[in-house]
Amino acid sequence: MRAFNKLPSNAAASLPAGKHEDGGGLRLVKKADGGGQWVYRYSLHGRRREMGLGPIPAVSLKAAREEAAKWRARVAMGYDPIAERDKERANRLGGLFKEVALDAFEARKAELKDDGKAGRWLSPLEQHVFPKLGKVPIAQITQRDIRDCLAPIWHTKAATAKKAINRLNVVFKHAAALELDVDIQAVGKARELLGKQRHKETHIPAMPWQDVPEFYHSLEEPSVATLALRLLILTGARSGPIRMLKLDDIEGDVWTIPAEDMKGRVGAVEDFRVPLSSEAQNVIEAALPFARNGFLFWNRKNVISDMAMAAIMKRRGLEARPHGFRTSLREWLAECTTAQHEVAEMVLAHKTDSSVVRSYRRTDFLDQRRPLMERWAQHCCGQDGQVVRMVSQ
């Protein structure tokens, strides 16, 4: 068997998901969605390491082989390819803050939802840091520079400032890893100089559960945004999964939300099942004419925007917002049912107990949640109901 060049020339397109060896330490890690990554695996000083060589199809098999051969020669000479490449990057970047920040973002794309395409990771830096410090060598940036940069928003835009300082911390650590001469403590010192934020956390306004039936009844217009809002109310789901709902994710009376679409679950392996009440199924049926490209709530060129449902409530002069219906549902569960705490929290996909306890509790309480969601739908539709009593199993 050949020791090198084992993969066929069309490997990137033809091979299934999994790990495929080309020989000499070069490996193709293929994803189920068709994407993938070239990886060079090597041992140095008794230590096994893996070095990413780029994604497919941007990096061809030929280019990956050439890159692997380059680093294989460096290993033979006793050099660490990862350390060598970091030095090359540092020299190429020139150490300007913006360039280092963009490099840090590239290195962390895999950790972000949809590879960070939404731009949320970089947004705080682009808006509030790049204009002042983007062209400054990161080695010259002090805690006073960071303080002066964030002071205007530290209290007035507290959440954004907090995100910005967290990103700054990541960028400075990345610069240190590139062996740039930075003060790794500069961000922490800046936080001390900025002091405690005066901002008080405010909760998203929610509609009292008693008022939900009247509002739900008013959503008679058969528009895509109105139907999406109705399904959001009925399921207690966040707006993101509602907007991205795919027809293939619905089977019978169960909607399965992929793990990557669940808030705070980037990299998670567990999907979340949502029991669909009769009314929820009716809403889905009514929305089918809007379905395009596999998505249920399609509007012209894409799925409906994040503001589409909120605009309905804003136009009516309501203080409450779509996300607040999760609070409405949770309060209804507490006041009008005898559901166990774990079951009620699972309705909203909230995590309870420690990770150890959750590892032993392998249920998502789907059967217990079904009657609760059916009863909630009846309440939303204005049908008087009795307290739901959960039978111990």
Side-chain angles (χ1 to χ4, degrees):
M1 181 179 287
R2 292 183 298 172
F4 293 90
N5 303 338
K6 299 178 183 179
L7 297 179
S9 58
N10 62 343
S14 62
L15 292 175
K19 298 177 181 178
H20 307 279
E21 308 295 340
D22 187 57
L26 179 61
R27 167 187 285 179
L28 170 62
V29 182
K30 192 79 179 292
K31 297 180 181 179
D33 62 4
Q37 182 87 5
W38 294 106
V39 175
Y40 172 54
R41 305 169 71 241
Y42 63 95
S43 293
L44 186 68
H45 308 311
R47 205 170 149 211
R48 192 74 174 173
R49 304 199 72 183
E50 291 189 356
M51 177 183 184
L53 301 182
I56 59 172
V59 178
S60 66
L61 173 58
K62 179 182 178 182
R65 284 172 175 168
E66 291 174 352
E67 191 74 2
K70 167 189 171 182
W71 296 117
R72 200 179 297 120
R74 299 299 288 168
V75 171
M77 297 172 64
Y79 293 100
D80 186 341
I82 294 178
E84 290 285 299
R85 186 171 65 179
D86 286 345
K87 290 180 181 179
E88 286 184 3
R89 281 180 177 172
N91 293 330
R92 184 176 69 253
L93 293 172
L96 298 184
F97 175 81
K98 182 176 180 179
E99 294 173 338
V100 177
L102 293 175
D103 194 61
F105 171 65
E106 287 294 326
R108 280 153 184 79
K109 273 186 175 181
E111 304 171 15
L112 306 175
K113 183 176 180 179
D114 201 21
D115 287 341
K117 291 180 182 178
R120 293 176 182 173
W121 196 92
L122 274 176
S123 180
L125 298 180
E126 290 175 332
Q127 294 181 29
H128 304 288
V129 182
F130 287 174
K132 297 179 181 178
L133 300 178
K135 296 181 180 180
V136 178
I138 194 168
Q140 298 178 16
I141 295 177
T142 68
Q143 61 267 29
R144 289 181 294 278
D145 296 322
I146 297 173
R147 176 200 61 189
D148 295 342
C149 182
L150 296 183
I153 64 169
W154 189 244
H155 298 294
T156 58
K157 297 182 179 179
T160 301
K162 208 168 186 178
K163 291 177 182 177
I165 208 161
N166 288 339
R167 306 295 193 269
L168 279 160
N169 194 43
V170 170
V171 174
F172 269 72
K173 288 182 178 179
H174 187 76
L178 290 173
E179 298 188 357
L180 293 172
D181 187 18
V182 296
D183 180 3
I184 198 68
Q185 303 296 329
V187 178
K189 295 173 185 175
R191 191 188 290 268
E192 290 297 319
L193 292 175
L194 287 162
K196 188 175 180 180
Q197 292 178 320
R198 291 194 299 268
H199 173 76
K200 292 183 179 180
E201 183 178 355
T202 57
H203 296 287
I204 296 175
M207 182 177 293
W209 62 264
Q210 297 92 336
D211 298 341
V212 172
E214 181 179 356
F215 176 73
Y216 186 85
H217 181 70
S218 72
L219 299 174
E220 296 179 341
E221 182 187 359
S223 68
V224 62
T226 300
L227 290 168
L229 181 56
R230 286 171 61 184
L231 191 62
L232 178 143
I233 295 171
L234 293 168
T235 60
R238 293 181 170 87
S239 63
I242 289 288
R243 295 187 303 108
M244 302 304 294
L245 192 156
K246 294 181 180 179
L247 295 174
D248 289 344
D249 294 335
I250 299 174
E251 185 172 350
D253 66 346
V254 175
W255 164 33
T256 301
I257 305 177
E260 60 267 22
D261 290 341
M262 296 295 293
K263 181 180 178 180
R265 293 194 181 188
V266 176
V269 296
E270 293 183 0
D271 301 334
F272 182 70
R273 299 188 296 174
V274 179
L276 297 171
S277 62
S278 299
E279 174 67 7
Q281 294 176 65
N282 291 337
V283 171
I284 292 171
E285 185 72 23
L288 287 178
F290 296 101
R292 298 288 187 280
N293 302 319
F295 293 94
L296 182 62
F297 297 113
W298 192 267
N299 186 24
R300 297 181 183 176
K301 297 182 179 180
N302 209 330
V303 297
I304 61 174
S305 72
D306 196 36
M307 298 301 296
M309 290 178 278
I312 295 174
M313 306 181 73
K314 193 172 183 180
R315 284 196 299 267
R316 300 187 183 192
L318 296 172
E319 182 182 359
R321 291 296 176 261
H323 189 83
F325 285 111
R326 289 169 56 81
T327 300
S328 308
L329 172 55
R330 186 62 184 89
E331 290 179 349
W332 175 85
L333 286 166
E335 296 183 28
C336 299
T337 80
T338 58
Q340 294 179 345
H341 175 75
E342 294 84 355
V343 178
E345 288 294 287
M346 187 62 74
V347 167
L348 301 177
H350 286 164
K351 292 181 179 180
T352 58
D353 301 317
S354 66
S355 58
V356 175
V357 173
R358 291 196 302 270
S359 69
Y360 283 97
R361 188 180 65 222
R362 302 295 177 88
T363 179
D364 62 359
F365 301 111
L366 181 67
D367 290 336
Q368 291 95 322
R369 287 188 283 136
R370 270 200 177 95
L372 289 172
M373 300 313 294
E374 191 66 47
R375 190 63 192 152
W376 168 247
Q378 292 173 4
H379 168 72
C380 293
C381 292
Q383 301 174 19
D384 293 332
Q386 301 174 353
V387 172
V388 179
R389 299 198 176 275
M390 305 304 296
V391 179
S392 302
Q393 298 187 1

